[in-house]
Amino acid sequence: MKDILKEIVAHKRIELKEQKAVVSENYFNENYKENVHHSMKEALIASNTGIISEFKRKSPSKGWIFQNANPIKIISSYENAGTTAVSVLTDQMYFGGSLKDIHTVRDKINIPILRKDFIIDEYQLYQAQFVGADAVLLIAACLTKEECIKLTDKAHELDMEVLLEVHAEHELEYIQDDTDMVGVNNRNLGTFDTLIENSFKLIELLPKDKVLVSESGILNTETVLKLRKVGFKGFLIGGYLMGTSDPGTELQNFINKLK
């Protein structure tokens, strides 16, 4: 069985080399501008739902989910429905996304935006800051601990927060004092198998002073309520919403059931 995460990261390295040949890192330094920062961490702490709605067009396991999805229409509808934050997949090859999806909505919404991608290089942090992301995802499974610490420091330097994603117990050593949020991915990124039980298994091992997020496989409000009861503050929901004809309305119905 092929390891999907290894395949994605290998392609990401090729992609980054091509991107750097077109736009240098110096370009971001020379054109740096401070963005209005929307704290995802503080938004989750203050929220009574904790929903992080995701915008993505496809996935390696399902193929196309919503091929012609319009980011302005859908993400604006997420905000109107009451989402706490939005996660935007920017990987093009495997998820049909683009940095442009963040750039086109940044000035049209007033909620935190998470750049969700397979970040392995500081260059991607400069990209994220340039298009207006408030936070970035760092995945323990595709980084060494030292790389994760270095990328976290750089993200903070660029005034962005970090959602550190873990999937297995041995990755908990990646959590540092300055880690803003910790996400438990219920999906194994090697096989893309999803088990919501992973969040319940790891919760007792996670630091109680961190903002904790459960990611993937959340399909109903009952699951959110159970996750909230054990200590999670954030609930990232993507495929479930994007698999409907009207993700914003589906989100509204979901949130209404939580109230």
Side-chain angles (χ1 to χ4, degrees), residues 23 103 130 133 197 200 227 229:
V23 180
H103 182 68
F130 188 78
E197 289 79 9
F200 294 101
L227 289 166
K229 190 173 182 180

Side-chain angles (χ1 to χ4, degrees), residues 104-228:
T104 56
V105 301
R106 175 66 283 174
D107 293 337
K108 297 175 176 61
I109 61 171
N110 195 37
I111 52 176
I113 297 177
L114 170 74
R115 180 190 184 184
K116 192 175 182 186
D117 209 316
F118 300 84
I119 293 178
I120 55 175
D121 191 293
E122 287 188 2
Y123 184 83
Q124 294 162 285
L125 301 179
Y126 285 106
Q127 290 177 320
Q129 195 280 336
F130 188 78
V131 296
D134 302 290
V136 292
L137 182 75
L138 295 183
I139 303 171
C142 61
L143 298 168
T144 66
K145 182 179 175 181
E146 290 70 27
E147 288 171 337
C148 189
I149 291 171
K150 184 179 179 181
L151 289 169
T152 297
D153 289 344
K154 176 56 70 172
H156 288 161
E157 183 183 314
L158 295 173
D159 198 28
M160 293 184 295
E161 295 173 339
V162 167
L163 173 60
L164 171 65
E165 177 180 292
V166 298
H167 176 74
E169 185 175 342
H170 70 271
E171 294 169 348
L172 302 187
E173 67 176 40
Y174 283 62
I175 302 171
Q176 304 296 309
D177 289 343
D178 62 349
T179 301
D180 301 294
M181 299 161 283
V182 178
V184 175
N185 197 347
N186 300 311
R187 179 172 292 121
N188 182 316
L189 291 177
T191 64
F192 266 66
D193 292 334
T194 305
L195 291 172
I196 195 72
E197 289 79 9
N198 198 47
S199 282
F200 294 101
K201 181 179 75 172
L202 291 183
I203 185 68
E204 294 302 322
L205 304 174
L206 296 172
K208 300 298 184 285
D209 62 336
K210 298 297 182 185
V211 174
L212 306 178
V213 178
S214 181
E215 309 169 31
S216 305
I218 300 173
L219 305 176
N220 54 63
T221 53
E222 289 76 14
T223 300
V224 169
L225 294 173
K226 290 177 182 177
L227 289 166
R228 183 184 291 165

Side-chain angles (χ1 to χ4, degrees), residues 51-145:
I51 302 298
I52 304 165
S53 307
E54 190 156 87
F55 179 84
K56 64 179 177 182
R57 297 182 179 87
K58 68 175 181 178
S59 77
S61 59
K62 296 180 179 178
W64 288 107
I65 302 169
F66 197 146
Q67 185 169 1
N68 299 314
N70 183 311
I72 295 176
K73 180 180 178 181
I74 292 176
I75 295 174
S76 294
S77 72
Y78 281 161
E79 181 179 31
N80 292 335
T83 195
T84 303
V86 62
S87 166
V88 180
L89 259 300
T90 57
D91 175 82
Q92 195 279 325
M93 173 67 78
Y94 296 90
F95 291 88
S98 167
L99 284 163
K100 186 179 178 181
D101 292 332
I102 295 178
H103 182 68
T104 56
V105 301
R106 175 66 283 174
D107 293 337
K108 297 175 176 61
I109 61 171
N110 195 37
I111 52 176
I113 297 177
L114 170 74
R115 180 190 184 184
K116 192 175 182 186
D117 209 316
F118 300 84
I119 293 178
I120 55 175
D121 191 293
E122 287 188 2
Y123 184 83
Q124 294 162 285
L125 301 179
Y126 285 106
Q127 290 177 320
Q129 195 280 336
F130 188 78
V131 296
D134 302 290
V136 292
L137 182 75
L138 295 183
I139 303 171
C142 61
L143 298 168
T144 66
K145 182 179 175 181

